[in-house]
Every structure is written in structure tokens, then in C-alpha cells.
Amino acid sequence: MEIPEIIWEEYGMVQHPVLASLFGNGLINHTWKLSYGTEDYILQTINQLVFPDPWAIASNIDAIAQYLLIHHPAYLFVTPKKTKQGASMLVLNGVYYRIFPFVKDSLAKTVLETPEQAFEAARQFGLFTKNLAGFDCSQLKTTLPKFHDLVLRDKQFLEAIEHGNQERKMIAQELIEKLLAFRFITHRYQQIIINPNFKLRPTHHDTKISNVLFNSQDKAICVIDLDTLMPGYFISDLGDMMRTYLCPVSEEESDFSKITIRKAFYDAVIDGYCSEMGAELSKDELDAISYAGQFMVYMQALRFLTDYLNNDIYYGAKYPDQNLVRAGNQLVLLEKLMDLAI
Ligand code: GN1
Ligand code: MG
């Protein structure tokens, strides 16, 4: 997509920045890296099909930035560059743009190589929620209603089975049945949301490895991508790390024999997260640590298969069965995780 020239002027950049190519591997937003003088920046457009109210995202980032500045001034938290008008975003022809300073000497990983890195990343996500423990969660706007609500994902799955592409339903029949057999995971979630010992906390909701920045010594220095920062349960953040850090291959892998759980990474994720959050979690929450991974992997399998049945309207697909493959991949990962819990 073309980037309108007027952006630079609105951000007070007198010369045209050097625009590098598309950056990162997110499925939702478009991201570019740019250089301006001695500084580097990240330019991003917000996908409004996914985020109908981009100002809610900006408001959340502003609110927690203010809180962190007062209560944890040494904590590195990346905030958007302001426009000349002092706004955190720029709207041009209905498209929302924002610019973040690029953290110097930082590196975003797409692949996790060692348990130490898993520990580091999990510790940063734990630290993020811990530092916000005193923050009044009700100040946060919901950027994606019911995003990690497994009851909703279950309902959407059932609806897609009934009303979605019936030809695809036949192809996916075996997978559909296997996923339905795991509905006890949703039932446990229903117990969690009525349990007062499960606290709603400021939750990142997208703890994949590329959302942690590392330094050259391989230490994690901060978390990024606050689009889905909302009140949530710790199982979302810990669980998505389990979903994306434990297996040597990603959700895109179609050779399911490569899907395994690396136990050392599993332990590292839990140790790293609990090194910050351990004392914050209640007994009931601690008991749900292994459930966290099952919850997130199952939800992602449901979401991919739902999208497949709905003709890929949400995630898109680079080849016809991509969302079916992704769902099958997540099912195998779920089975491996369940074995681990026994
Ligand atoms: C989406 O855009 P990305 O890759 O960060 C999705 C996540 C999924 C992930 C699966 C807003 O995240 O929930 O886990 O794809 N984000 C949204 O790859 O739907
Ligand atoms: Mg994201």
C-alpha cells in the first residue's frame, strides 16, 4: 500500500524519512521500519476490520504510560510519537497511522532458540502485568470485545459448523469432531470466570516472541504491541507463550510430525513468568498454570477452523487450506500438551 507523503509533515519530519520495506510478521496490522536522521521508527496502520475503535488502543496506551511513569519510572515502555497536534495517531482518508520510536539496538525475534530466551520473554510479560498490579483495570477500554472469551469462540465455532461453507465442513469433519471432544476445556473456562480467585488484570493478549524486544546480550528488555491490552486472565498471556514458544515449528507447519513440546522451554516459560508473577497469583490461579496452554491452543484451533469454515474472512489464506492446516497443527499441539499434563 502507498504511504501518503503528508504523514511526515504531520509528524514534524521535515525531510522524507528513508522507508525500509514491510516489517514483522503480524497477520493483522501493516508495519514498516523507517529511518529519519539518526533515529529509526516503526510506522504502522491499524486494521480497522479487526479493531473498530483505534482510539481505544491509543487511550489504553496513554493511560498505562502515565501510570508507569509515576509508579515504575525505570521501566521501559514504548509510546507512540505525537503528531504536531499532539495526537497519538493520525487519521488520513479513514486510515489510522501511528509511529513508534524504534528501541535502539533492539532486536525482535521471530523464532525462539533457547530456553533462556523463553525464560527472558516470559519474565518480561510477567513483569509487565506485575508493574500494572496497582492500575485500575476499569480504566482500560476494550479494544476487541470478548477477544479471549472461549465461550464466544465455542459459539462462533458451532455457528460456523452450521452456517459455514458446507463443502469445507465435509473436508474438515474429522477435525471438527476432534475439537468438539475437547469442549471440557471451555467448561473449565466457564468455572474460571465465575471464580472470584481469578483476577482480571491488565493483560497483553498477544505474547508471541516477536512482541518482546531483546538486546545484543540476549536479554529481553521490553514488551511491545499493546493493541490487545485489556482486562483479562493470566492464562491468556502465559497460555499464548506456551502455544508459541514450546514447539520448534509454528502454527504454519503442515508436517505435523515436527510438532513436539520442548520440556525445557515449558519449564522456562513457567519459571520466567512466575519469577515476576508467582507471588501475585492466587492458589486457584497457580493450579491453572498447565491449563493456560490448553486454553490458548484450543482457542486458536477453534478460531482457525471457524475461519476455514467461514471462507477465511478473518485470517485470510495464502493457499486454499491454510486455515485447515493451521487448525490441524494446533490440534496436534493440544494433544501433545495434554500428554504433558498427565
Ligand atoms: C493474530 O496479528 P498477529 O499475528 O499478532 C491474532 C492472534 C492470534 C494470531 C495467530 C487481533 O495475531 O489472536 O493468536 O494472529 N490477533 C488478533 O497467528 O486477532
Ligand atoms: Mg498483535
Side-chain angles (χ1 to χ4, degrees):
M1 79 179 266
E2 282 284 307
I3 299 166
E5 290 297 306
I6 186 143
I7 287 192
W8 318 126
E9 194 186 319
E10 292 291 332
Y11 274 98
M13 294 170 150
V14 279
Q15 285 132 29
H16 193 305
V18 179
L19 206 63
S21 54
L22 277 174
F23 190 74
N25 64 347
L27 298 179
I28 304 295
N29 296 324
H30 284 280
T31 307
W32 297 264
K33 187 176 175 187
L34 42 111
S35 304
Y36 183 73
T38 55
E39 303 296 318
D40 290 336
Y41 293 92
I42 288 292
L43 169 71
Q44 214 174 32
T45 60
I46 299 179
N47 182 336
Q48 287 172 77
L49 292 175
V50 174
F51 297 104
D53 180 11
W55 288 112
I57 299 175
S59 148
N60 286 348
I61 296 179
D62 288 349
I64 65 162
Q66 272 181 33
Y67 178 90
L68 289 168
L69 203 60
I70 296 167
H71 296 91
H72 300 280
Y75 177 72
L76 177 58
F77 183 66
V78 186
T79 52
K81 179 176 167 65
K82 297 277 196 271
T83 65
K84 278 198 300 195
Q85 257 73 46
S88 308
M89 283 190 299
L90 182 68
V91 194
L92 290 173
N93 299 323
V95 181
Y96 288 75
Y97 298 86
R98 60 189 172 177
I99 291 181
F100 290 100
F102 187 89
V103 179
K104 274 205 175 14
D105 302 321
S106 73
L107 199 114
K109 296 180 187 295
T110 47
V111 185
L112 195 60
E113 278 139 3
T114 66
E116 289 74 26
Q117 294 166 350
F119 179 96
E120 280 292 309
R123 192 178 73 76
Q124 275 302 324
F125 281 114
L127 178 64
F128 174 72
T129 298
K130 186 176 95 175
N131 279 349
L132 291 168
F135 179 83
D136 171 14
C137 235
S138 67
Q139 277 188 54
L140 290 179
K141 299 201 159 88
T142 297
T143 55
L144 273 177
K146 296 182 182 280
F147 183 42
H148 281 187
D149 181 341
L150 193 50
V151 176
L152 172 78
R153 299 307 182 185
D154 174 75
K155 184 166 161 265
Q156 289 172 329
F157 180 51
L158 297 183
E159 279 167 8
I161 295 171
E162 197 174 332
H163 303 295
N165 181 329
Q166 295 301 304
E167 216 171 289
R168 285 187 169 202
K169 179 183 162 181
M170 276 167 36
I171 298 170
Q173 196 56 43
E174 196 188 326
L175 197 47
I176 291 173
E177 274 159 30
K178 284 190 172 163
L179 286 184
L180 288 174
F182 278 104
R183 285 182 86 202
F184 61 89
I185 295 178
T186 308
H187 301 149
R188 178 155 179 195
Y189 174 73
Q190 285 171 309
Q191 296 304 311
I192 285 178
I193 56 181
I194 56 171
N195 181 346
N197 296 327
F198 272 81
K199 208 169 150 191
L200 279 171
R201 312 168 191 276
T203 303
H204 186 284
H205 285 110
D206 191 7
T207 53
K208 61 183 179 188
I209 194 62
S210 56
N211 281 340
V212 183
L213 298 183
F214 283 80
N215 66 15
S216 52
Q217 280 85 52
D218 232 16
K219 293 284 170 217
I221 48 176
C222 67
V223 304
I224 55 169
D225 185 3
L226 278 298
D227 296 351
T228 49
L229 170 74
M230 289 177 279
Y233 299 103
F234 89 98
I235 51 173
S236 282
D237 283 357
L238 181 61
D240 214 28
M241 287 190 267
M242 292 179 171
R243 186 180 83 78
T244 55
Y245 299 1
L246 308 187
C247 180
V249 292
S250 81
E251 65 200 20
E252 301 295 349
E253 180 60 59
S254 58
D255 179 354
F256 297 166
S257 70
K258 292 187 181 152
I259 300 173
T260 56
I261 303 273
R262 300 176 290 186
K263 183 65 168 58
F265 286 68
Y266 181 82
D267 295 340
V269 164
I270 295 173
D271 290 350
Y273 190 78
C274 288
S275 70
E276 296 294 347
M277 280 296 287
E280 295 285 325
L281 298 174
S282 68
K283 164 88 176 52
D284 285 359
E285 288 174 318
L286 289 169
D287 286 345
I289 281 182
S290 66
Y291 173 74
Q294 300 162 17
F295 164 75
M296 281 306 298
V297 176
Y298 182 55
M299 178 154 53
Q300 195 61 60
L302 289 184
R303 292 178 67 195
F304 283 143
L305 197 54
T306 301
D307 202 39
Y308 175 72
L309 296 170
N310 290 337
N311 296 322
D312 317 311
I313 44 168
Y314 188 82
Y315 287 114
K318 294 197 182 82
Y319 62 94
D321 286 346
Q322 189 171 14
N323 281 310
L324 182 70
V325 168
R326 288 164 166 164
N329 168 307
Q330 296 291 284
L331 171 71
V332 175
L333 184 61
L334 177 60
E335 288 168 345
K336 302 269 160 156
L337 263 184
M338 300 303 295
D339 290 347
L340 199 72
I342 295 167

